[in-house]
Amino acid sequence: MSKIQDQDPAIYQAIEREKRRQAEGIELIPSENYTSEAVMEACGSILTNKYSEGYPGKRYYGGQENIDTIENIAIERAKKLFGAEHANVQPYSGSPANTAIYFALLQFGDTVMGLKLDHGGHITHGLPISFSGRAYRFVQYEVEKETGRINMEKVRELALANKPKMIVAGFTAYPRDIEWKKFKEIADEVGAITVADISHTAGLIAAGELESPVPYFDVVMTTTHKTLRGPRGAMILCKQKYAQAIDKAVFPGLQGGPHDHIIAGKAIAFEEAMQPAFKEYAKQIKKNANHLAEELKKHGFNLVSGGTDTHLILADLTSKNVPGKQAQNTLDTVGITLNKNTVPFDTRSPMDPSGIRLGTPAVTTRGMKEPEMERIADWIDRVISSINDTAIHAKIKEEVKEMCLKFPVPGIKI
Ligand code: DSN
């Protein structure tokens, strides 16, 4: 960072402070992770200098021989990792990727089914104020109040009543596995295209820790930076019959030049995810999440759906009398980062909801295991139980820091 230090002290100092925050704190936001240093090298490389509208072998500018090599490697690795027929590795991130899928396969105004935002869906799964909710007629399915889970019979009834052209399955805040085969059966019954958003669980799916929708679904989208542990970005996998429509929708339909430095980072991450060590990593993510969930329950936390099948936990803090926003902000002061989140049927607003969302991809990358999950659950409980006691918070902050420094973050030396 010596060049940044010399040239731009304000940015340098902010990066240094962020390094320290990452190294000394516990990252529990379930969509965050730490990439390898190799991925970061690619993302910080000279590849950022190049423009390459088009696809390998069919570009609009010259000088593409190395960029074509990199994108072809990324495509082949993505296909191999997930057993997909076609891969587009150019989407900038998850929201543009979902938008490209809709743009490729729907007409404006078509009916689509997606999981409601406060029941665990994403803004691009039909939130009325988002582009998806305004451009298409989204019918939103929910989780059940009693179980916190998606009831597939209700999904079927909704599909039969609305005859959607597309069904989107996937989540950002749903702690349970998805019944892909059931979704596919329902979609076939009504003639709908199937789209899976596996952004959160792609790493677990790649490692065989969760079932994959790729064999059944027409289109599968994932971001590359969550459990998959690559750089910020996304990709779209699909059956060959949709390949041309998807490619045309990504470029020139929605995007201009792809971010070649990020595509190189994706290629590196895909290779990493094919290694035996990644399988062990994915297994431990699930073990850690399950253990953290059980420990939180021992401390009296009310978990949506009663636990987790994945890396993600959603806790309803209503019974603790602490709103999600206050919990997030107070936990931030001790170095525990998670996010406030609505819970299904929340009576509070998204900016100050009843719950918190937490997950284990990042702590597992640092090598933390079950004993550390017990300490984390204990700290969360102590903070929530003494929400206004800054003396207790100061003590916990020191304990958190002491533990964190024993588990280095890739690329950070303190
Ligand atoms: N921001 C991502 C998440 O936190 O789940 C998805 O939008």
Side-chain angles (χ1 to χ4, degrees):
M1 294 281 167
S2 60
K3 293 287 184 291
I4 304 179
Q5 186 174 17
D6 290 347
Q7 186 180 319
D8 199 329
I11 294 295
Y12 174 77
Q13 281 154 20
I15 295 174
E16 285 300 302
R17 285 195 298 273
E18 176 60 13
K19 262 192 201 169
R20 196 161 277 282
R21 190 194 69 81
Q22 291 191 14
E24 294 179 355
I26 296 168
E27 185 52 71
L28 292 174
I29 294 174
S31 47
E32 294 190 16
N33 209 333
Y34 310 107
T35 67
S36 69
E37 290 184 73
V39 167
M40 284 189 275
E41 275 182 12
C43 296
S45 74
I46 47 81
L47 294 171
T48 197
N49 298 339
K50 191 74 195 101
Y51 248 126
S52 54
E53 278 104 330
Y55 290 100
K58 285 177 286 180
R59 306 277 190 190
Y60 289 83
Y61 301 162
Q64 304 293 344
E65 57 270 35
N66 306 309
I67 300 303
D68 278 4
T69 301
I70 289 166
E71 187 165 338
N72 277 326
I73 290 173
I75 290 168
E76 288 313 311
R77 288 180 185 170
K79 283 161 62 179
K80 188 170 165 204
L81 183 60
F82 289 96
E85 291 177 16
H86 179 76
N88 186 312
V89 296
Q90 294 194 1
Y92 301 141
S93 208
S95 296
N98 278 341
T99 307
I101 294 168
Y102 303 153
F103 193 46
L105 306 177
L106 298 171
Q107 299 298 318
F108 293 130
D110 275 349
T111 301
V112 190
M113 275 174 59
L115 182 59
K116 206 173 173 188
L117 183 78
D118 56 351
H119 287 240
H122 187 249
I123 46 178
T124 56
H125 299 172
L127 182 69
I129 56 165
S130 82
F131 176 81
S132 61
R134 291 189 50 188
Y136 306 99
R137 181 183 162 261
F138 262 86
V139 176
Q140 305 235 270
Y141 53 95
E142 302 185 343
V143 300
E144 283 193 307
K145 203 164 197 164
E146 308 73 46
T147 61
R149 292 176 189 242
I150 298 167
N151 177 331
M152 293 307 292
E153 205 33 59
K154 293 225 171 106
V155 172
R156 180 168 177 268
E157 282 166 19
L158 208 59
L160 290 173
N162 288 281
K163 299 272 184 301
K165 187 159 176 202
M166 176 184 282
I167 298 180
V168 180
F171 60 82
T172 54
Y174 180 69
R176 295 298 176 176
D177 201 4
I178 303 275
E179 294 181 76
W180 305 117
K181 272 190 229 160
K182 265 267 161 49
F183 267 108
K184 174 66 176 152
E185 278 166 26
I186 294 167
D188 283 350
E189 211 176 330
V190 298
I193 298 167
T194 40
V195 173
D197 182 341
I198 60 166
S199 295
H200 266 264
T201 49
L204 302 176
I205 289 170
E209 284 298 309
L210 288 176
E211 196 191 12
S212 172
V214 173
Y216 318 114
F217 270 50
D218 297 308
V219 184
V220 176
M221 192 290 293
T222 182
T223 52
T224 45
H225 49 273
K226 299 187 173 90
T227 50
L228 198 50
R229 210 162 60 178
R232 295 306 275 256
M235 68 172 156
I236 301 170
L237 309 169
C238 66
K239 301 288 184 214
Q240 198 56 46
K241 76 185 256 210
Y242 297 109
Q244 202 184 358
I246 291 290
D247 286 353
K248 273 173 72 178
V250 173
F251 175 85
L254 206 71
Q255 297 189 175
H259 295 173
D260 300 314
H261 53 314
I262 302 297
I263 290 176
K266 289 175 189 173
I268 293 167
F270 298 157
E271 185 65 26
E272 289 174 356
M274 283 188 254
Q275 304 310 312
F278 192 87
K279 287 201 187 333
E280 287 310 309
Y281 164 62
K283 210 181 280 257
Q284 191 64 41
I285 290 178
K286 273 179 70 181
K287 278 192 200 166
N288 281 351
N290 193 50
H291 202 69
L292 183 56
E294 291 306 314
E295 289 298 310
L296 287 169
K297 284 197 301 193
K298 279 189 204 162
H299 288 293
F301 283 84
N302 177 15
L303 304 188
V304 173
S305 84
T308 179
D309 296 328
T310 63
H311 61 299
L312 183 150
I313 298 164
L314 192 57
D316 183 345
L317 300 183
T318 308
S319 62
K320 298 271 181 193
N321 277 325
V322 176
K325 183 177 170 184
Q326 191 181 14
Q328 175 192 300
N329 292 345
T330 312
L331 284 161
D332 251 345
T333 69
V334 306
I336 295 179
T337 312
L338 43 67
N339 68 277
K340 60 179 182 278
N341 214 96
T342 47
V343 295
F345 307 97
D346 210 326
T347 50
R348 301 178 65 92
S349 78
M351 279 312 286
D352 190 7
S354 301
I356 49 172
R357 186 185 70 149
L358 51 163
T360 53
V363 290
T364 309
T365 292
R366 291 174 86 161
M368 295 183 193
K369 293 205 164 109
E370 286 85 341
E372 287 73 39
M373 298 307 114
E374 287 167 28
R375 298 195 71 188
I376 291 171
D378 185 55
W379 284 321
I380 292 174
D381 180 49
R382 279 163 62 201
V383 171
I384 303 278
S385 314
S386 61
I387 200 77
N388 293 313
D389 192 333
T390 48
I392 291 184
H393 303 164
K395 186 167 180 309
I396 293 173
K397 185 181 174 142
E398 281 312 305
E399 292 169 12
V400 166
K401 181 175 162 185
E402 190 198 346
M403 183 183 91
C404 282
L405 292 178
K406 296 188 185 129
F407 296 91
V409 173
I412 301 183
K413 289 176 192 67
I414 293 285

